Amino acid sequence: MSTGPEQSAELKFVVTNTLIVRDIKRSADFYRDVLGATVLREGEPTFLRLGNIWLIINGGGGGTDDKPDVVAAPPRDPNLLSIFINLRVNDIKRCYELWSSRGAKFITEPKVHATEIRCYMRDPDGYLIEVGQTTITAGPLDSLTGPKSPAVY
């Protein structure tokens, strides 16, 4: 990655993911207590740091002045997928056991696929969380940085 002078003029930003939930405290507790997220700010909304992203937990509601026709609501049907969180881990067996012991409800145990081992759980509002471990590189992000980068999902 280049760090030359041309990069100093680049915009700097942090990628966040906002989840609209029914109960902010319950959801924040899940991400903190089960997955080990760090609470950065409590309240409405609550900000968490989960791995290398910020996760914003907020309640639903009607439009705002900058998006008047948009209604924010938690998922109505947990089996209708529009977004999910993907956690890439070094040791899926350990994560599965640890997070299960903390209350995570997995859909299945980790299953072996062509280039990864993966399983899925749901958060309290039904958001799908994929937990995956690559089987073709040494670390969970190695496939993202090499010249032969396969899709990670």
Side-chain angles (χ1 to χ4, degrees):
M1 187 161 123
S2 171
T3 57
E6 69 282 351
Q7 219 175 8
S8 64
E10 283 185 35
L11 294 173
K12 305 289 185 207
F13 57 91
V14 173
V15 176
T16 67
N17 189 8
T18 299
L19 298 179
I20 304 302
V21 302
R22 290 172 186 81
D23 183 326
I24 293 171
K25 181 178 178 348
R26 178 188 69 175
S27 292
D29 289 350
F30 171 83
Y31 285 95
R32 183 195 64 222
D33 298 342
V34 175
L35 300 181
T38 301
V39 176
L40 302 174
R41 175 185 178 270
E42 292 183 354
E44 295 184 28
T46 293
F47 291 76
L48 304 163
R49 181 163 185 107
L50 179 63
N52 61 338
I53 69 164
W54 284 18
L55 191 59
I56 300 171
I57 306 291
N58 206 0
T64 60
D65 64 348
D66 53 348
K67 54 177 179 44
D69 298 325
V70 177
V71 175
R76 292 190 179 116
D77 181 347
N79 295 321
L80 209 75
L81 184 64
S82 61
I83 187 172
F84 66 97
I85 296 172
N86 188 321
L87 305 176
R88 307 309 287 176
V89 300
N90 282 325
D91 186 343
I92 194 168
K93 184 176 187 283
R94 183 170 179 269
C95 290
Y96 177 83
E97 290 170 358
L98 176 64
W99 294 340
S100 292
S101 75
R102 292 177 176 172
K105 304 293 185 222
F106 284 87
I107 297 171
T108 65
E109 292 184 5
K111 296 191 176 280
V112 177
H113 292 85
T115 61
E116 68 180 346
I117 305 166
R118 70 173 185 254
C119 56
Y120 293 87
M121 70 173 114
R122 294 193 186 278
D123 82 353
D125 283 276
Y127 284 105
L128 194 65
I129 301 170
E130 176 181 309
V131 181
Q133 176 183 336
T134 182
T135 56
I136 58 174
T137 62
L141 298 179
D142 292 349
S143 64
L144 298 177
T145 57
K148 298 178 186 176
S149 299
V152 293
Y153 47 87

